[in-house]
Amino acid sequence: MTFFNEMYHDGEVRPPYARLEGWTRAMPAELRQMKQAEAEALFRRIGITFAVYGEGGDPDRLIPFDMFPRVFTQDEWRRLERGIKQRARALNAFLVDVYGRGEIVRAGRIPGQLVYRNAAYEAAMAGFVPPRGVFSHIVGIDIVRTGPNDFFVLEDNCRTPSGVSYMLENREIMMRMFPALFRENRIEPVDSYPERLRRTLASVAPAKCAGEPTVVILTPGHFNSAYYEHSFLADLMGVELVEGQDLFVEGEFVFMRTTEGPKRVDVIYRRIDDGFLDPLCFRPESMLGVPGLMDVYRSGGVTLASAPGAGVADDKAVYVYVPEMVRFYLGEEPILPNVPTWQCGQREDLAHVLEHLPELVVKEVHGSGGYGMLVGPRASAAEIAAFRDRILADPDSYIAQPTLALSTVPTFVAEGLAPRHVDLRPYCLVGERVELVPGGLTRVALREGSLVVNSSQGGGVKDTWVLAE
Amino acid sequence: MILSVQHRTTYRYDRPVRGVVQSHRLTPSVFDGQRTLGWQVGLSEGIRGGGFRDGAGDWVQGWSVRGPVGEIVVLVQGTVETADLSGVLRGHREAIPPEAYLRETATTRADRALAELGLEAAAGLADALAAAHRMCEAVAGAIVWRPGATQAATTAAEALARGEGVCQDHAHALIAVARSRGVPARYVTGYLFAAPGEGPQEAAHAWAELWVQGLGWVGFDPANRCCPDARYIRIGSGLDARGAAPIRGIARGNGAEHLDVDVAVQAVQQ
């Protein structure tokens, strides 16, 4: 298998990386080591040590930061941006539809059982259209690259995708350590993200909100692995960070306890899962949420971002149908294609998958974070045999994809620079407008040859540049 | 029939609580089989919250009570004119598709015995309505009505194994049996007018609805071996008893809660 190197291609340095060539050459090993230690110290001082959503692992472990940036040209980014926005629109249209009339199911374009029997479908949302018809206000779309013009969507994250604080911090640290680089290269800024996020959330205030909306971030608390990100974003957005016990329902509204007495809250950017939001509606034993919240929400007294039940759009089994959503709701062809996917629940697909296990990547439909996953070409015969039994026991729970030749970007390793595989998670904001800052989180598989970028599996992060024209 | 309902639920707390939040599904359904002539739901010292019609077509009303409070009373009073539609829920508007009612819950999971009960009752029957009646009969025959035999958390499988239970167990068992046959089914709460000596006296009643192709949702009451008629007032539905609960609430505080329920359903006019 050959891999597309984003910097060195066909024996030449690709234009967006041209200035980085000289930069690395001019950096002696001692300086590099010193800088790397400095970067780590900076991260530690800030306290950014969490794992990216759902990836598990030690929450206090520092995710390794690689100083060599990942670079996109303006042209590449424009195409990505159009494709990401298109997908974010289609995913939201799908959510409005399946909690409404379900036209896409009636039209036979997606099987009803995949939607309505899905664990992520929330009957409590049926018949409700959230403000501006937005269910997923922050859509994280994971993208992989296999060639100069070949980008694929690997996965959608419609609930509360995390990691955006890494995007912001990686940039901050790079600018502090290498100011010259940012003078030599014209790099689009990403620091407007918190303000854009705040505006997006304010734009989906509920009907009953009069005046400037009060936005808060609801966190499960400091023991949560992404707590740092919650407080970081609250800080940069200039909004309160609250826990369930700081909020209460009275009459038609939700209030936050403050030293000056109760203050009405209009928009809640919640970083807790659906099941914990309101013990009256979901898990009765949950202490993390706010009793009565769903009644206030559904009667238009507060907005929840993302809306409960948004996860039915980012399920791995539903993923297969996202290109169909783009055609059905937008009448457009998808700009960013899916990775070809076989559904083991379908007989012909299953036969193909079982025959080609050594070549395929097999994923659990409801799994995440690189657990419960088979990477055929890297697995032993025994591992493949064991996985085969798991698939046969419950075919509906598995999908399979070809092993993608993920692109590589030069990465600092002990011996110097070496190519390592990367992916990309940009964060698309959906409110009054659909927008995204030029950049995202690049995750890099630091182990040589590894195709798994998840931090729980030895992944790191890089600053992601989009060059201005 | 014209039925009048008086339904009082009293919550007493050992020690005053700091506040109470409740969510009510206590308003009669809107469909061709019943017309509300008058209906009031009140919560003592309560602040009325937001209300809305949910995806199942039920009216949901939020309430909150400021503490400290030692006792609260939910009082439902009203009059409904009913008609006998042989259990068919005609003219009911809702947004959740029948397919969503194939989902399992902890209390309605079909174990082997429930699945076999469904198989024996309905295997080979092409007529969906006839199959539904047979499943209802089978559940009625397998679980004897005996108050106190089961609790709120008893599952359908446990009730069947015991062979006795109350209307909640009958409804759960029928739902489990129907879903195991691929028939969407749901839990329904409401009120029942029963003349003295006329079978189970459960004025605050529960039954099941099964999706029958061509007819839509049809009610079945295994506890009384019949389909809901003019003696029934339909209130709300859910995947199981918890999902359909007429009152859900939570009190802030650590006083133990004591519950007292008093329901009377009378025929104002036959």
Side-chain angles (χ1 to χ4, degrees), chain A residues 98-100 105 111-127 208 248-252 257 279-284 286 291-292 294-296 298-299, chain B residues 18 20-25 47-56 60-66 95-104 179 182 239 242 248-250 252:
Chain A
V98 296
Y99 288 108
V105 176
Q113 61 146 352
L114 223 50
V115 178
Y116 300 118
R117 297 182 69 180
N118 196 306
Y121 170 85
E122 289 294 359
M125 290 300 292
K208 289 180 187 171
F248 66 96
V249 164
E250 185 167 290
E252 296 179 42
R257 298 175 217 279
L280 296 194
C281 189
F282 304 112
R283 293 188 186 200
S286 166
M294 282 300 285
D295 283 358
V296 175
R298 285 221 42 179
S299 57
Chain B
R18 296 196 303 277
V20 179
V21 177
Q22 291 194 336
S23 180
H24 292 172
R25 279 170 185 73
I47 305 166
R48 184 180 289 273
F52 62 96
R53 200 163 289 287
D54 73 5
V60 180
Q61 178 67 52
W63 286 92
S64 47
V65 182
R66 265 190 199 172
I96 302 176
E99 201 159 5
Y101 293 96
L102 285 168
R103 297 154 71 98
E104 256 183 5
R179 288 184 193 151
L239 282 172
R242 196 180 97 72
R248 302 176 192 184
I250 205 163
R252 282 202 309 275

